[in-house]
Amino acid sequence: MEATVPDERPSAEGPATFRDVFGQHEFRAVFVAGALSWVGDYVAKAAVTLLVYQQTRSVALSAAAFAVSFLPWLLGGPVLAALAERYPFRRVMVACDLIRMALMLVIAIPSLPYQAVLVLVFAATLANPPSQAAKSALIPQLLTGDRLVLGLSLNGSVGQAAQVVGYVFGAAVAAVDPEAALLFNAVTFGLSALLVRLGVRHRPAMMNPEHRSHLLRETRQGFGIVFRTPVLRAIAVLVFSSMLFSIVPEGLAAAWANDEGRGALSAGTAQAAIMVANPIGFILGGLLVSRLFGPARRLKLMRPLAVLAPLVLVPVLLDPPPLVVALLAAICGFAVAGMMPMANGLFVQALPNGFRARAFGVMATGIQVIQGLAVLVTGMLAERFPIPIVVGVWSAAGVVLMTVATLRWPDRQTVDDAITAASLANAAPPSSGLGDPASDRPVEGRSNPHTGDGHRRHAVT
């Protein structure tokens, strides 16, 4: 039995290449489709955020406009994500793109008040959890080993690149015609749906109708596998902690740039510089760290980079000019991107196949909710205290939090054992009896018995 389990632990092997990853034609389709929809999303987000601030001149309302897209994750992200395992991943992704396209076309109707736009944007983002859960569960079926780690890094980097393009383009378009920015978003969703439908082959659902239980029970199982498995729990804490502070300069950029005394830069230029800095740093960090270091070295770098990320934002206490703030935010993004793909890769390897979409829903919900709350809380604090003080103190608290998280990181043997247990569970024959279908609590290292067509298993990734 042991000989059949692929060894996909972090090792000293050389890193995968871009050719290895993009040689997989289905990944190319998913990659391009995601890039298109991300660009459209960030165009819309920049336009809505700026529109609200221009109309209200309120930091809190501007932050709320930025955070509205995070609300669906808070109100039902894991439940919506659990739907992805009930249907073929391709079908889920295409349906969600078409739903979002239709809603964005409605939002683009001229003269809608911004309150109605926010409500419709919220409705459109309800499709994000199942779409992103399906994508997250599909990618490990397309790529394995270190190709998966590089693929995740490329996927994250293109998301950040789309953020840069979307914010810059969105701010420019919103100044002239906000509805055009929203219409552009609708077009990108339509193209994304077409690419996924034509470029990704059909795969059966991970969970057949006869194997379904109550949706809430399936959701609880997703929470259980993440927070009752020590390695997955450690990764979740590390990722959630990094999201708590890295988003803050970006979320407060509009108000920060419009403060008096911002130097020679115009408010628009200062806002753009701060908003795109973290994504640019993320792009560079993800690509450089993934390409320059092998899996074993990246694993060793995870914890130092995790502490570095909030540490570099502490100097904003001194109220530096916008370009210095942008530089510090870029370094923060570089550090987060350097440790994130390895954390994601470990998470996938230590996770039984049948829980992928649900576990992603838990993780994505945590990330979205934490980012939204971080922007809202710091936005409210910035109504009473100077923004540099708020961001600097918030980041100092992040250093303490990250230090505690890294000190509690499991040792190498624990990580290896978790990966082996997940691999054994994925490779186990249907008759092995692994898992307990009567229990809401998943057993560590055991796969959900209600996965696939007749307990269909996919290769571990």
Side-chain angles (χ1 to χ4, degrees):
M1 181 70 164
E2 201 169 79
T4 65
V5 179
D7 183 7
E8 297 201 358
R9 299 168 179 80
S11 66
E13 67 181 6
T17 66
F18 295 139
R19 180 177 296 179
D20 294 334
V21 173
F22 287 114
Q24 219 291 343
H25 71 278
E26 291 180 286
F27 177 77
R28 290 199 304 269
V30 173
F31 181 86
V32 176
L36 283 170
S37 59
W38 273 328
V39 168
D41 265 350
Y42 288 118
V43 166
K45 183 176 287 189
V48 170
T49 302
L50 184 58
L51 175 65
V52 171
Y53 185 79
Q54 287 176 339
Q55 292 186 14
T56 65
R57 310 305 296 182
S58 168
V59 179
L61 286 177
S62 177
F66 183 88
V68 69
S69 61
F70 301 119
L71 287 180
W73 295 97
L74 174 63
L75 300 180
V79 177
L80 293 169
L83 288 171
E85 276 172 349
R86 292 187 166 202
Y87 305 97
F89 295 143
R90 183 183 71 172
R91 184 187 304 171
V92 172
M93 295 168 67
V94 171
C96 289
D97 277 342
L98 293 178
I99 290 170
R100 290 180 289 189
M101 179 186 72
L103 287 172
M104 286 297 160
L105 288 174
V106 175
I107 297 171
I109 295 174
S111 302
L112 278 181
Y114 78 86
Q115 295 93 334
V117 170
L118 291 179
V119 171
L120 290 170
V121 167
F122 168 76
T125 55
L126 286 172
N128 288 352
S131 176
Q132 293 187 27
K135 179 180 178 180
S136 175
L138 175 64
I139 289 177
Q141 295 182 6
L142 309 179
L143 303 172
T144 59
D146 201 49
R147 287 183 299 169
L148 173 61
V149 176
L150 180 57
L152 293 172
S153 177
L154 288 167
N155 196 57
S157 294
V158 75
Q160 298 299 316
Q163 194 170 353
V164 174
V165 173
Y167 280 156
V168 173
F169 182 64
V173 173
V176 179
D177 188 353
E179 290 79 12
L182 298 166
L183 183 61
F184 176 83
N185 194 13
V187 172
T188 61
F189 280 130
L191 292 175
S192 174
L194 184 64
L195 279 170
V196 172
R197 178 62 181 82
L198 298 179
V200 177
R201 69 177 177 86
H202 171 77
R203 290 174 175 81
M206 291 295 291
M207 184 183 296
N208 279 347
E210 60 268 23
H211 292 148
R212 296 174 186 169
S213 61
H214 194 282
L215 188 60
L216 292 178
R217 181 187 180 192
E218 295 166 12
T219 303
R220 287 198 302 270
Q221 290 174 338
F223 277 97
I225 195 69
V226 172
F227 292 108
R228 292 173 180 159
T229 305
V231 171
L232 299 181
R233 183 173 62 245
I235 295 171
V237 170
L238 193 69
V239 171
F240 293 162
S241 299
S242 68
M243 294 299 105
L244 188 61
F245 55 83
S246 59
I247 191 69
V248 171
E250 183 181 322
L252 300 183
W256 206 339
N258 281 274
D259 275 353
E260 295 182 3
R262 290 295 90 195
L265 295 181
S266 66
T269 303
Q271 177 186 351
I274 296 172
M275 292 190 82
V276 305
N278 189 277
I280 289 175
F282 195 99
I283 295 167
L284 295 176
L287 295 178
L288 292 178
V289 174
S290 294
R291 290 295 297 123
L292 295 179
F293 301 104
R297 181 61 61 86
R298 290 200 299 267
L299 183 61
K300 293 179 180 178
L301 288 173
M302 276 182 59
R303 284 176 285 179
L305 289 172
V307 176
L308 176 64
L311 184 62
V312 298
L313 292 177
V314 175
V316 301
L317 281 167
L318 302 176
D319 193 15
L323 288 181
V324 175
V325 173
L327 176 61
L328 296 176
I331 298 173
C332 173
F334 186 98
V336 171
M339 66 95 173
M340 193 66 74
M342 196 67 203
N344 289 342
L346 284 175
F347 190 88
V348 169
Q349 293 166 28
L351 180 66
N353 288 345
F355 287 96
R356 280 185 178 155
R358 282 173 285 174
F360 172 80
V362 172
M363 292 296 295
T365 297
I367 290 172
Q368 300 292 330
V369 170
I370 285 171
Q371 287 183 322
L373 288 177
V375 172
L376 285 174
V377 171
T378 54
M380 289 187 290
L381 290 173
E383 295 276 11
R384 297 177 57 87
F385 306 100
I387 293 178
I389 298 296
V390 171
V391 177
V393 173
W394 189 268
S395 302
V399 174
V400 176
L401 181 60
M402 274 301 204
T403 301
V404 172
T406 57
L407 289 176
R408 296 179 62 84
W409 184 258
D411 58 33
R412 174 64 180 266
Q413 188 60 50
T414 302
V415 174
D416 286 353
D417 289 346
I419 294 174
T420 299
S423 300
L424 287 168
N426 294 334
S431 60
S432 66
L434 289 178
D436 181 8
S439 173
D440 283 342
R441 179 174 179 172
V443 181
E444 182 178 349
R446 296 184 179 182
S447 183
N448 180 5
H450 296 166
T451 58
D453 186 4
H455 297 271
R456 178 179 291 103
R457 305 290 183 186
H458 298 277
V460 67
T461 54

